[in-house]
Amino acid sequence: HAYVQPFLKTDTPEPEKEWTQSEEEREHLDGLYECILCASCSTSCPSYWWNGDKYLGPAALLQAYRWLIDSRDEATGERLDDLEDPFKLYRCHTIMNCAQVCPKGLNPAKAIAKIKHMMVER
């Protein structure tokens, strides 16, 4: 989880009050920020069982996607560079155990697929 640096990264000078975003931009984060880091998804993931030392796993990648699409964050390229590796991201084989066991009803596999799509598009 710490590897994905789950905090806002920006080069823009800090505003006087707070970093703002529109309601629409905020809605993009629904289904991502609710993760309670219980690790049910990671412990149910065969790819994580076999490659836990190299594959970040569903919980960490869900958080990575949360920060990749945050409209206030300015480090998308750097964050994608950090995930560009044969194991960190690409060990997900879309088995979907993670989505089935999440007590919050979140879908880490969908977030992982969207990260992979971002990698292809850049």
Side-chain angles (χ1 to χ4, degrees):
H1 179 258
Y3 181 83
V4 301
Q5 299 179 350
F7 48 83
L8 194 63
K9 293 171 120 183
T10 172
D11 294 326
T12 303
E14 191 172 330
E16 285 185 36
K17 282 189 165 185
E18 59 191 20
W19 298 100
T20 60
Q21 61 185 172
S22 70
E23 287 183 32
E24 183 179 290
E25 290 169 332
R26 168 57 192 80
E27 286 176 4
H28 291 293
L29 302 179
D30 287 347
L32 302 171
Y33 75 89
E34 297 93 341
C35 177
I36 57 173
L37 298 174
C38 68
S40 292
C41 58
S42 296
T43 58
S44 72
C45 176
S47 295
Y48 193 69
W49 303 338
W50 301 323
N51 301 290
D53 58 331
K54 300 177 207 166
Y55 173 53
L56 294 178
L61 291 170
L62 179 75
Q63 290 303 303
Y65 183 63
R66 179 259 180 268
W67 290 101
L68 282 165
I69 65 162
D70 192 313
S71 62
R72 302 164 297 174
D73 193 84
E74 298 173 350
T76 302
E78 176 187 332
R79 291 180 187 280
L80 289 173
D81 288 345
D82 289 345
L83 296 174
E84 187 68 60
D85 177 269
F87 282 91
K88 291 175 186 164
L89 170 65
Y90 294 103
R91 288 301 105 186
C92 174
H93 299 295
T94 323
I95 296 168
M96 302 296 291
N97 285 359
C98 56
Q100 293 174 2
V101 301
C102 178
K104 301 290 277 183
L106 307 179
N107 190 342
K110 183 177 179 182
I112 294 167
K114 288 184 176 185
I115 295 172
K116 290 177 181 179
H117 185 73
M118 291 175 80
M119 290 288 203
V120 170
E121 289 212 331
R122 69 181 187 141

